[in-house]
C-alpha cells in the first residue's frame, strides 16, 4: 500500500504537535485537508519537523518519525555545527506502520518542506560517507544511522515540492546563521546545495510552483491583492522588483520577479542543475528527473487552504495530483 507523507514548511507544524488539533497546517482555514483526503481513499500523514531547523536536521527528524526511532543528526554534522547529536525520540511512535519496500511512500513538502524532502531523498539514496567516517574515527563504527548508509531509494516512490524554496528566495529575511532554515533559503546556499544533491534513478520528482503576482507595464511584478494575503504583499512586491547579483555572484534577472509572496516562482521549480521537463499530460513522467507542473495561481499559502483568503479548490488539486502519483510505475 502506498502512503502519502506531507512535510510542512517554515514555522509549520504536524500531527505530533498540539496546534494541529486546532488548526491543521494542511487545510488551514478550510479544515483538515488530510482527513478529507483519507476519506477519499488516499492514506495521508502529516510529519512534524523543526519549524526553523535546517533541511539536514529536518530530514533526520523525518527519518526518525518514519522509522519510529530516536533522531540522529549524525556525529560529523553535530560536531560541525555545535549541537547535540541526538534529538526527538519517536521510538514506539512511528508516523506510519510498516514502512518497507513493499509499502513505499510519496513525500510532499510545502515551502521549506521542499528542500527538506529533496535532501531526504538524497540521503536515503546515497547516504553520507562523512558520517560513517566520523563514527569510525570515534571508535564507534556500528553507531552510524541507517539513514546515512544510503541504498534505500526503494522506500520512496516520489517527491513533490509545493511552492518549494528549492533554489532559495530573494525575499527579505534570508539569514546567515548556518544550520537553520533561514540560512538554507539564501539563494547562494541553495544553489550550492543543488550542485551537491543528485536525484535517484528510481524516484519520481515533481515541482509545483505558485504565482500570485501580475506583470506591470515597466516589467516589474506586483502582488494581486485578490490572491495574496496581506502578510505577503510587501515581501512579494519587493521580490517583484528586485534584480541584481547576490553576495555570491548569482545573477537575479527578470525571470526571478514572478512570485507567490514569499518564494520566486522560478525558484519553486526544479533545483538548479537538475534535469527537468515541463509536465505533459500526453507523456508519462519519468523517474530520475524533475517534472515541473504548471504554476498554481495563488500565493504561498494557497495550497494550504489559505489564511484569510480561503481556497476551496485544494481538495480537487490534491486529489488530482495524488491520482497522478498512484499511476507511477
Amino acid at each position: 500500500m502506498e502512503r502519502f507523507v506531507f512535510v510542512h514548511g517554515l514555522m509549520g507544524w504536524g500531527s505530533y504537535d498540539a496546534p494541529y488539533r486546532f488548526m491543521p497546517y494542511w487545510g488551514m482555514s478550510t479544515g483538515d485537508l488530510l482527513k478529507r483526503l483519507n476519506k477519499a481513499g488516499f492514506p495521508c500523514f502529516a510529519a512534524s519537523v523543526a519549524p526553523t531547523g535546517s533541511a539536514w536536521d529536518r530530514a533526520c527528524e523525518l527519518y526518525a518519525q518514519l522509522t519510529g526511532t530516536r533522531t540522529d543528526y549524525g556525529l560529523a554534522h553535530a560536531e560541525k555545527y555545535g549541537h547535540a547529536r541526538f534529538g526527538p525520540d519517536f521510538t514506539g511512535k512511528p508516523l506510519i506502520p510498516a514502512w518497507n519496500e513493499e509499502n513505499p511512500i510519496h513525500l510532499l513538502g510545502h515551502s521549506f518542506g521542499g528542500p527538506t524532502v529533496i535532501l531526504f531523498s538524497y540521503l536515503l539514496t546515497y547516504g553520507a560517507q562523512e558520517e560513517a567516517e566520523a563514527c569510525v574515527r570515534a571508535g564507534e563504527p556500528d553507531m552510524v544511522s541507517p539513514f546515512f548508509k544510503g541504498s534505500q531509494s526503494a522506500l520512496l516512490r516520489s517527491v513533490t515540492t509545493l511552492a518549494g524554496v528549492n533554489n532559495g528566495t530573494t525575499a527579505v529575511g534570508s539569514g546567515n546563521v548556518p544550520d537553520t532554515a533561514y540560512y538554507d533559503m539564501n539563494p547562494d546556499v541553495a544553489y550550492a546545495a543543488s550542485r551537491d544533491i543528485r536525484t535517484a534513478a528510481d524516484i519520481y520528482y515533481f515541482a509545483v510552483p505558485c504565482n500570485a503576482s501580475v506583470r506591470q507595464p515597466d516589467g516589474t511584478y506586483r502582488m494581486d491583492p485578490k490572491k495574496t494575503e496581506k502578510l505577503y504583499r510587501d515581501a512579494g512586491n519587493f521580490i517583484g522588483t528586485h534584480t541584481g547579483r547576490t553576495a555570491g555572484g548569482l545573477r537575479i534577472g527578470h525571470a526571478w520577479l514572478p512570485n507567490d509572496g514569499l518564494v520566486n516562482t522560478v525558484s519553486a521549480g526544479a533545483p538548479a542543475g537538475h534535469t527537468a521537463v515541463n509536465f505533459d499530460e500526453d507523456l508519462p513522467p519519468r523517474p530520475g528527473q524533475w517534472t515541473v507542473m504548471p504554476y498554481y495561481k495563488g500565493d504561498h499559502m494557497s495550497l494550504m487552504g489559505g489564511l484569510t483568503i480561503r481556497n476551496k479548490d485544494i481538495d480537487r488539486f490534491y486529489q488530482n495530483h495524488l491520482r497522478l502519483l498512484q499511476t507511477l510505475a
Side-chain angles (χ1 to χ4, degrees):
M1 178 178 65
E2 298 181 10
R3 279 82 49 93
F4 305 92
V5 176
F6 289 67
V7 181
H8 63 76
L10 182 73
M11 301 302 296
W13 57 95
S15 60
Y16 286 90
D17 304 310
Y20 201 90
R21 296 194 296 272
F22 307 103
M23 177 183 275
Y25 181 87
W26 303 94
M28 291 287 181
S29 62
T30 62
D32 194 333
L33 168 67
L34 303 194
K35 184 177 181 179
R36 297 195 300 271
L37 291 175
N38 272 287
K39 287 184 177 179
F42 303 99
C44 296
F45 303 83
S48 301
V49 290
T52 61
S54 66
W56 179 285
D57 288 357
R58 289 159 58 97
C60 294
E61 292 163 4
L62 177 59
Y63 183 80
Q65 287 177 31
L66 292 172
T67 55
T69 57
R70 186 180 183 185
T71 303
D72 185 348
Y73 299 115
L75 178 59
H77 184 84
E79 290 178 344
K80 180 177 180 179
Y81 293 105
H83 66 63
R85 174 180 176 180
F86 297 101
D89 191 348
F90 301 96
T91 301
K93 300 178 292 181
L95 181 64
I96 59 176
W99 183 39
N100 50 47
E101 293 185 5
E102 288 70 40
N103 297 285
I105 61 172
H106 299 270
L107 282 180
L108 300 94
H110 173 247
S111 189
F112 194 64
T116 301
V117 297
I118 291 170
L119 181 57
F120 179 94
S121 68
Y122 172 78
L123 291 173
L124 196 70
T125 302
Y126 299 105
Q129 184 62 30
E130 67 273 19
E131 294 300 340
E133 294 172 350
C135 288
V136 170
R137 289 195 300 271
E140 301 176 336
D142 297 329
M143 286 295 290
V144 62
S145 167
F147 189 36
F148 302 132
K149 295 180 180 180
S151 301
Q152 301 180 78
S153 62
L155 295 171
L156 182 57
R157 180 77 72 204
S158 74
V159 166
T160 298
T161 64
L162 305 159
V165 201
N166 302 343
N167 296 292
T169 174
T170 57
V172 175
S174 293
N176 57 6
V177 179
D179 207 36
T180 64
Y182 299 104
Y183 181 78
D184 288 351
M185 291 193 298
N186 183 305
D188 290 326
V189 175
Y191 264 65
S194 294
R195 290 194 295 268
D196 295 333
I197 292 176
R198 292 170 285 160
T199 58
D202 53 348
I203 295 175
Y204 293 83
Y205 299 84
F206 298 87
V208 183
C210 289
N211 182 17
S213 60
V214 179
R215 191 179 189 277
Q216 304 301 301
D218 63 357
T220 62
Y221 284 75
R222 292 190 64 81
M223 305 311 296
D224 181 348
K226 294 182 179 180
K227 292 185 177 296
T228 311
E229 300 282 352
K230 290 183 179 179
L231 177 66
Y232 297 125
R233 291 176 192 173
D234 287 345
N237 289 334
F238 172 81
I239 296 173
T241 59
H242 179 71
T243 59
R245 289 192 180 274
T246 65
L250 177 66
R251 182 176 181 275
I252 303 298
H254 283 79
W256 283 75
L257 300 185
N259 69 92
D260 64 11
L262 185 61
V263 177
N264 313 70
T265 301
V266 69
S267 174
H274 289 215
T275 301
V277 298
N278 291 328
F279 174 71
D280 185 336
E281 61 183 13
D282 294 325
L283 296 175
R286 295 176 58 185
Q289 68 177 22
W290 283 85
T291 297
V292 180
M293 308 299 288
Y295 73 77
Y296 190 87
K297 296 179 181 180
D299 72 4
H300 194 64
M301 297 307 294
S302 60
L303 290 178
M304 300 302 98
L307 297 174
T308 62
I309 301 176
R310 299 182 67 188
N311 180 14
K312 298 179 180 180
D313 184 56
I314 56 171
D315 288 52
R316 181 177 62 176
F317 167 82
Y318 282 105
Q319 288 193 30
N320 287 341
H321 188 67
L322 299 190
R323 287 193 190 99
L324 171 64
L325 300 184
Q326 288 180 328
T327 67
L328 302 178

